[in-house]
Amino acid sequence: LNPKPELASDPAGAALTGNTVTLTCHMNLSTGWDFYWYKHTPNSETKKTETNSYRVKIDSVSDGGQYWCRAGRGKPVYYTQYSDALPKAVVMVQPDERVFRGETVTLRCDIKWGEDTEWTYRWEIEGTNYQYKNSVSQISTQEWNISSVDHVHSGKYSCTGQMGTQSSQHSDAVTLTLS
């Protein structure tokens, strides 16, 4: 059997520009393996490490994205399977990102990662109202219904998901605008 590693990140989820993320390629392997790191597509430029961890300094938005890993050893190199990529969350808005006062808006955090997965969700808000500025919502459900939208709800909404030790990448922010 060709083993398949599991990829995890610390800190979990997304990192802000200027921060460092440590990726770990978890496998039950004997010693002597090298680890190979891929960004965006499995066929992209490869980084090789002798340990199962890889530090990524997020200097710009282009350093973000999806990462994969796999292990290899021997000559010619015998490789494991690629890990799954760290999943990325996506925020969906119904009916629209531009809303009128009094309307009901539903925000949904979607994470494509296998089937029948049980995620715990975390929402973040960067709002125009001082009490919402950079706050982390206590909402932990996949869907968030805001009834009777008002100016305090204007702002940027994003989410992440956690399932056991696996975390999603942070979603891109969606801007809710009150008309």
Side-chain angles (χ1 to χ4, degrees):
L1 267 181
N2 194 355
K4 183 175 183 176
E6 184 177 311
L7 185 60
S9 66
D10 182 28
L16 300 175
T17 301
N19 290 352
T20 299
V21 175
T22 300
L23 302 175
T24 305
C25 198
H26 292 287
M27 290 202 52
N28 292 325
L29 295 175
S30 57
T31 59
W33 290 83
D34 290 320
F35 292 85
Y36 298 84
W37 304 90
Y38 306 86
K39 181 180 154 192
H40 296 303
T41 64
N43 298 322
S44 65
E45 182 182 338
T46 306
K47 303 285 186 199
K48 179 180 169 184
T49 61
E50 292 181 2
T51 64
N52 71 334
S53 62
Y54 176 59
R55 290 173 56 96
V56 180
K57 174 89 161 107
I58 309 297
D59 291 323
S60 68
V61 174
S62 65
D63 292 321
Q66 292 188 314
Y67 286 82
W68 288 260
C69 70
R70 68 177 173 169
R73 74 172 180 183
K75 290 191 183 197
V77 178
Y78 168 80
Y79 291 104
T80 65
Q81 294 181 52
Y82 287 99
S83 69
D84 289 326
L86 286 177
K88 183 169 183 176
V90 176
V91 175
M92 309 295 286
V93 183
Q94 290 290 330
D96 195 66
E97 293 174 35
R98 295 188 66 85
V99 293
F100 294 97
R101 180 173 292 166
E103 284 188 324
T104 297
V105 174
T106 301
L107 301 166
R108 180 182 171 90
C109 187
D110 282 332
I111 303 170
K112 304 294 185 225
W113 186 254
E115 296 179 24
D116 301 325
T117 52
E118 292 293 323
W119 292 94
T120 300
Y121 299 90
R122 187 178 89 177
W123 291 88
E124 294 182 22
I125 313 159
E126 280 186 51
T128 53
N129 184 291
Y130 73 92
Q131 71 187 104
Y132 287 111
K133 199 79 162 169
N134 296 320
S135 68
V136 176
S137 171
Q138 298 305 309
I139 305 293
S140 60
T141 58
Q142 184 177 18
E143 286 194 356
W144 183 3
N145 292 309
I146 304 173
S147 58
S148 194
V149 173
D150 202 346
H151 71 280
V152 298
H153 298 109
S154 294
K156 295 181 179 182
Y157 291 76
S158 58
C159 68
T160 55
Q162 180 83 30
M163 179 181 59
T165 60
Q166 179 64 56
S167 296
S168 75
Q169 292 184 50
H170 206 269
S171 72
D172 294 331
V174 168
T175 303
L176 199 59
T177 306
L178 188 69
S179 300

